[in-house]
């Protein structure tokens, strides 16, 4: 995933045995263009529910080898701007 995104240098860590406090739960609301294989569209709007956005870690399906919090923050910021634009532009029903 990292190389496909343009990373030049990557490293791989082996999984630890047992449960640790280092998990980052995500991936319960896959993002995508096809409503048959995803829950939200690329703007984090739930397919077929124009007033419902999911703006959290659940749309970030695959975590890389490092803490995903900055990616989650960046996506939340982007999706929030899209939500506000839809609200101001009349794209949401009040």
């Amino acid at each position: 995933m990292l190389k496909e995104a343009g990373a030049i240098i990557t490293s791989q860590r082996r999984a630890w045995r047992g449960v640790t406090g280092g998990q980052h739960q995500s991936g319960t609301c896959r993002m995508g263009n096809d409503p048959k294989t995803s829950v939200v569209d690329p703007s984090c709007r739930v397919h077929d529910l124009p007033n419902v956005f999911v703006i959290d870690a659940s749309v970030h399906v695959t975590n890389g080898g490092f803490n995903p919090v900055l990616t989650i923050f960046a996506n939340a910021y982007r999706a929030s701007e899209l939500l506000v634009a839809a609200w101001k532009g009349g794209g949401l029903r009040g």
Side-chain angles (χ1 to χ4, degrees):
M1 179 174 83
L2 295 171
K3 287 184 179 183
E4 289 294 322
I8 297 170
I9 299 171
T10 62
S11 63
Q12 185 175 14
R13 291 177 33 184
R14 297 196 181 271
W16 297 9
R17 291 181 182 219
V19 178
T20 69
Q23 292 87 17
H24 300 280
Q25 303 306 317
S26 64
T28 57
C29 294
R30 180 180 292 271
M31 181 190 300
N33 291 317
D34 186 353
K36 293 179 183 176
T37 59
S38 60
V39 177
V40 299
D41 67 16
S43 63
C44 294
R45 188 184 294 224
V46 174
H47 294 293
D48 301 324
L49 295 171
N51 289 354
V52 179
F53 286 74
V54 177
I55 303 177
D56 65 5
S58 62
V59 301
H60 188 224
V61 178
T62 305
N63 289 326
F66 299 93
N67 189 323
V69 72
L70 295 178
T71 303
I72 294 164
F73 283 169
N75 187 57
Y77 184 81
R78 180 191 67 84
S80 296
E81 286 183 327
L82 295 170
L83 185 149
V84 169
W87 181 266
K88 288 181 178 179
L92 298 179
R93 293 187 288 270

